[in-house]
Amino acid sequence: DSLPLEIPDTMAVLLNGDIQISGNERSADARGKITIVEGIYYKDLKISLLQMATRPQRQVAPAPRPISIPYFEKVNLDILIDHRQPFAVQNNLAQLEIANTRTRQAELAASLGDVKEADELYAAAIGSLRNLAEVASTESSYRQALATSLLNYGLLLCREGKHTLAIAALKESLDHFGKAVSSKQEQDLSDLPRGLNSAREALALAFVEGGKATEAEAAIQAAIDSLDRVVARDPDNADVHELRATARLLLATVFEQSGRLTAAVKACEEATEDCRYLHEDFPLTHRYSRNFAASATNLGKLLFRMRRTSDSLQVLKEGLDARLKLNGDSPYINDYQEQSGPCLSTIGQERNDLALDEE
């Protein structure tokens, strides 16, 4: 007959065994086979991904105790452990892994153009992650995984033109990113704030494409305000300046699309100052120089539209200088030469227009 073994609130196992023991009072041999007929581990684990990476330890260390075997001082084991059914794990860690796998599969399906498959996988992953986040409301890793999945799903819906559904998914993503940040014991400026602002910017894009400029402006301004507070605490943090520059450029785009050129110029000027700081203080990081060149070019074109020709020429020249420097220093020479062409053309066109105006 099978032997049931159960640890309350942890696991249940059904075993079959055929073991033979032979020997004398000092030494023995145990040979045979144990078969796991079926088994399940169902205890939820208290996990913190940060603590697992930095401070691996038991919650309560077991007290050591000597091993005592009646009649034998030494037992030689030769026991085969087999199973009829796979040992099942049905707890929060297993659900998290399954949900993350479905999210990755959804991303792959979306990249291959299989929108229906991606939609179904995202829905399954998000449903599992919602349950985990509700049960363990103080564990930030569940909310972060849920927020990331909702962010990617919202972007997919936005690309498909389903703006109402996209806005709902991105609002929920933003809410969970915010709760994940607030539940962390130590605030840092790594993946969570970046995800939080990615959700805000994605929400703003969904509002823009859905014809809701006012809501888009509010979403972006909320991101900028939160980043302003971080900059006030940590003015030398390059990542935050880059995030704020991206948000300000997006805000400038919203203003420009709604015909508010003065506000667009102001937002683009502020973004260019963030990019200039990074470009000048970290000259070896080509990404910062690329961002400055792009921001300066956008600002120059906006200034030209407002007939601020001298200011336009000056800032376009700064952007051009940054591009030309990259052409000499980076391995992406052809790409930057292609980008420098439009910048040079714009400067030349503006100078021609300025000469005509003076005549």
Side-chain angles (χ1 to χ4, degrees):
D1 294 333
S2 299
L3 174 67
L5 174 63
E6 183 172 357
I7 300 177
D9 300 320
T10 301
M11 72 175 185
V13 182
L14 191 62
L15 303 173
N16 276 343
D18 182 11
I19 299 175
Q20 295 180 351
I21 300 176
S22 61
N24 54 42
E25 64 181 10
R26 298 183 60 85
S27 178
D29 296 319
R31 295 183 175 88
K33 179 180 180 180
I34 294 176
T35 301
I36 300 175
V37 179
E38 59 181 337
I40 180 172
Y41 184 94
Y42 54 87
K43 181 178 181 180
D44 284 345
L45 303 177
K46 294 182 180 179
I47 62 170
S48 170
L49 300 183
L50 179 61
Q51 290 183 3
M52 287 172 64
T54 58
R55 299 191 300 275
Q57 61 182 7
R58 287 189 177 98
Q59 186 176 6
V60 178
R65 60 182 180 180
I67 300 176
S68 176
I69 304 176
Y71 306 112
F72 303 115
E73 294 180 2
K74 179 181 178 182
V75 177
N76 299 313
L77 299 178
D78 183 11
I79 299 174
L80 174 66
I81 299 178
D82 198 3
H83 63 85
R84 291 184 185 174
Q85 299 291 336
F87 189 86
V89 178
Q90 296 181 5
N91 63 359
N92 55 345
L93 196 59
Q95 292 178 49
L96 179 61
E97 179 59 29
I98 292 171
N100 286 337
T101 299
R102 284 172 172 164
T103 297
R104 291 191 291 270
Q105 290 174 335
E107 292 169 359
L108 177 60
S111 68
L112 296 175
D114 192 343
V115 177
K116 182 180 179 181
E117 178 72 9
D119 189 275
E120 292 175 353
L121 288 167
Y122 273 128
I126 289 168
S128 297
L129 291 168
R130 279 198 186 109
N131 291 335
L132 288 172
E134 289 174 3
V135 172
S137 59
T138 60
E139 177 51 58
S140 65
S141 58
Y142 298 145
R143 290 199 179 277
Q144 183 178 354
L146 174 57
T148 302
S149 189
L150 283 163
L151 170 59
N152 293 333
Y153 185 41
L155 291 171
L156 173 66
L157 292 170
C158 196
R159 289 195 297 270
E160 293 300 310
K162 301 175 181 178
H163 300 119
T164 301
L165 293 174
I167 288 169
L170 292 168
K171 280 184 175 180
E172 187 180 353
S173 171
L174 188 60
D175 177 59
H176 286 295
F177 268 124
K179 290 179 179 177
V181 170
S182 63
S183 67
K184 288 179 72 66
Q185 294 180 354
E186 296 179 2
Q187 293 291 334
D188 58 42
L189 300 173
S190 54
D191 49 346
L192 280 176
R194 186 174 290 274
L196 183 65
N197 283 282
S198 295
R200 284 173 174 146
E201 292 171 11
L203 179 60
L205 286 172
F207 279 135
V208 170
E209 295 183 8
K212 299 181 178 181
T214 302
E215 291 88 343
E217 180 184 342
I220 302 170
Q221 192 60 57
I224 294 172
D225 290 344
S226 69
L227 292 168
D228 284 343
R229 291 190 290 271
V230 176
V231 170
R233 296 195 307 267
D234 188 7
D236 297 326
N237 191 296
D239 287 342
V240 179
H241 281 279
E242 186 177 21
L243 287 170
R244 189 170 66 173
T246 302
R248 284 171 165 171
L249 284 172
L250 183 57
L251 183 61
T253 300
V254 172
F255 287 144
E256 184 181 7
Q257 290 180 348
S258 61
R260 299 162 63 185
L261 291 184
T262 301
V265 167
K266 183 176 183 299
C268 199
E269 285 176 338
E270 292 173 342
T272 303
E273 285 306 308
D274 274 328
C275 293
R276 178 182 283 108
Y277 159 72
L278 297 172
H279 167 63
E280 293 176 351
D281 280 33
F282 304 93
L284 299 181
T285 304
H286 291 155
R287 183 178 79 253
Y288 295 153
S289 297
R290 291 198 302 270
N291 292 344
F292 172 68
S295 182
T297 301
N298 289 338
L299 176 58
K301 292 178 179 178
L302 282 171
L303 291 168
F304 177 63
R305 288 183 61 186
M306 296 188 68
R307 310 306 298 170
R308 292 171 56 180
T309 310
S310 297
D311 294 337
S312 174
L313 289 174
Q314 179 180 349
V315 74
L316 282 169
K317 180 62 167 60
E318 289 185 87
L320 177 60
D321 289 343
R323 291 184 191 277
L324 292 176
K325 182 179 178 181
L326 280 168
N327 282 344
D329 295 342
S330 80
Y332 307 106
I333 294 176
N334 292 334
D335 291 343
Y336 288 111
Q337 285 177 340
E338 291 177 2
Q339 295 185 43
S340 298
C343 193
L344 282 168
S345 176
T346 303
I347 291 178
Q349 181 62 49
E350 290 183 359
R351 287 185 175 180
N352 291 336
D353 291 343
L354 181 61
L356 290 174
D357 289 344
E358 290 176 349
E359 292 178 0

